[in-house]
Amino acid sequence: SRRKRPKPLLPLAEGQSLLRLAWDRLEGLIPRENRFVAAPEALEDPIRRELGLPAGQFIGEPQGRDTLNALGLALGLLHRRDPEGITGVFSADHIMLPRQAFLSTLRRGYEIAAAGKNTLLCFGVPPTEASPAFGYLELGESLKTGEVGARRVVSFREKPPRRVAEEFFREGPDRFLWNAGVFVFKNSVFLRALKKHVPENAGPLEQIVRAWDAPVPEAPPGRFPDNCRTLFAGLKKISVDYGIMEPASRDKDFEVAALPLTLDWRDIGSWPACAGLWPEDPQGNHSGPGRILFKDCRGSFAFSEDPRHLIAALGCDDLIIVHTPQATLVCPWNEAQGVKDLPALAEAQFGEEFL
């Protein structure tokens, strides 16, 4: 990934970007004119090209300040458009199949959020392994009669140590679910929770929303107002899970609940996770796009963006090989999480050319 072409824009799933998959997944439930994309403003052009997105449906942030602030800005703007509105939040780095199972559960989620006065709804996935790479939802009692499967969330357990993840896995999906990164809530309820639990961020975000369409040259309609950039840069960087969902789960003024997503859910957060999207040969190798040749290899994965380029791997076990026109990655399978450290090293040695 690159700053101008991050993971959601890469053609990782059968030639489709994860952003496009997330967008298309909503067909049949949420009209296109009611879908908005919140992302760094520097990505506006590639995102709008990818989706054919009208300018008024892109909400650009001047810099990344984590998910709480992205949602605080977006839902503040949407609340101004529709004070009674309900918003679904969908991360653009997941695979969810089959789509109809996702839409059916999501439809129920909207009904639950609409019926509740103070409900913050999230979605969980039954764990398939004791993974420390995901957040966990600890479930309590059923939400109420008639809402089959909806459970109160007692706590959020973000990326626990493996020993703890193994305990959660043994408890089973009736007690713990993986946090799927999908939420539904009334805009007004979310903004109330933001004001109560992160007031130091709520105030500046309200100022930015008020200034968004101000008739001044620095803030053309639909664009982040330049006179508020310092405000946004000064916001405490925090995720929506830590900032709102976790404290709200202990707050009697709110009702944090979860619905299980019983489908094939994959968080494409690493190259090993991406490998699972592609066929496996008898030796356990996965061939992504491009021309890939394995000989005497086991448990390896290769991916190429250049259709004219051949990747030939000989005697390679448990390796990841990724070729792009600008850079090539080679690493052991179990070192894949360390990829996130490479951009800073590349910048220190070669400047910004490979960022």
Side-chain angles (χ1 to χ4, degrees):
S1 64
R2 303 284 187 275
R3 286 178 181 171
K4 294 184 179 180
R5 197 175 176 227
K7 180 177 65 175
L9 289 172
L10 300 180
L12 296 178
E14 298 182 358
Q16 297 272 4
S17 73
L18 297 174
L19 177 63
R20 165 58 71 177
L21 291 179
W23 178 267
D24 290 348
R25 197 175 294 133
L26 302 173
E27 289 292 328
L29 181 62
I30 302 174
R32 294 188 179 197
E33 62 269 21
N34 289 347
R35 302 180 207 170
F36 296 78
V37 177
E41 58 185 2
L43 297 176
E44 179 176 3
D45 287 345
I47 286 176
R48 289 184 55 203
R49 282 196 304 271
E50 177 73 7
L51 301 178
L53 188 72
Q57 290 171 238
F58 181 84
I59 300 172
E61 310 156 70
Q63 60 179 272
R65 302 302 296 166
D66 218 324
T67 53
L68 180 139
N69 296 304
L71 291 181
L73 174 62
L75 269 69
L77 292 168
L78 296 176
H79 180 67
R80 189 171 63 170
R81 292 164 55 103
D82 180 6
E84 303 300 319
I86 298 175
T87 296
V89 179
F90 312 98
S91 301
D93 54 0
H94 298 147
I95 302 291
M96 300 187 197
L97 295 170
R99 191 172 70 89
Q100 287 305 318
F102 168 74
L103 291 180
S104 176
T105 306
L106 183 60
R107 188 174 287 109
R108 286 181 52 222
Y110 271 91
E111 293 169 355
I112 292 170
K117 292 183 178 179
N118 304 296
T119 303
L120 297 164
L121 186 69
C122 52
F123 294 75
V125 178
T128 57
E129 60 176 313
S131 173
F134 302 133
Y136 288 74
L137 307 174
E138 184 177 1
L139 304 178
E141 72 274 15
S142 296
L143 195 58
K144 65 181 181 182
T145 304
E147 292 173 356
V148 179
R151 302 274 296 278
R152 294 186 186 277
V153 176
V154 176
S155 67
F156 285 73
R157 305 293 189 91
E158 185 63 20
K159 296 182 180 178
R162 180 167 293 279
R163 174 185 55 80
V164 177
E166 289 171 351
E167 293 176 8
F168 294 170
F169 186 65
R170 282 195 296 271
E171 291 275 0
D174 193 55
R175 180 75 186 282
F176 289 97
L177 298 173
W178 282 337
N179 186 357
V182 177
F183 305 92
V184 176
F185 24 62
K186 291 177 181 174
N187 300 339
S188 58
V189 175
F190 177 88
L191 294 173
R192 214 162 8 95
L194 174 62
K195 194 167 187 175
K196 180 172 184 180
H197 291 290
V198 198
E200 65 272 32
N201 286 31
L205 285 167
E206 288 175 0
Q207 287 182 254
I208 294 168
V209 168
R210 285 196 300 269
W212 191 267
D213 288 328
V216 295
E218 294 79 15
R223 301 296 178 90
F224 196 95
D226 282 352
N227 55 349
C228 293
R229 291 178 182 275
T230 302
L231 274 178
F232 196 82
L235 293 173
K236 178 171 68 174
K237 193 172 183 178
I238 187 171
S239 74
V240 67
D241 292 328
Y242 281 125
I244 290 183
M245 302 302 285
E246 188 168 344
S249 70
R250 302 188 297 268
D251 186 342
K252 60 181 176 57
D253 291 336
F254 297 94
E255 180 180 69
V256 177
L259 268 178
L261 278 169
T262 51
L263 43 67
D264 181 9
W265 174 88
R266 303 187 193 187
D267 183 348
I268 311 301
S270 66
W271 282 111
C274 182
L277 301 177
W278 301 92
E280 182 176 344
D281 70 16
Q283 288 71 46
N285 302 304
H286 295 265
S287 296
R291 299 182 181 186
I292 313 297
L293 174 63
F294 287 117
K295 179 172 171 53
D296 298 331
C297 298
R298 289 175 294 276
S300 292
F301 172 54
F303 182 110
S304 176
E305 272 199 310
D306 186 349
R308 301 166 302 175
H309 185 88
L310 171 67
I311 294 179
L314 174 63
C316 297
D317 292 351
D318 303 317
L319 273 191
I320 292 172
I321 306 166
V322 181
H323 175 79
T324 75
Q326 195 178 20
T328 299
L329 167 74
V330 180
C331 74
W333 190 278
N334 61 4
E335 295 290 338
Q337 293 295 333
V339 170
K340 64 181 181 295
D341 300 325
L342 295 181
L345 295 173
E347 183 177 22
Q349 190 164 345
F350 303 108
E352 297 189 357
E353 180 182 356
F354 299 104
L355 301 183

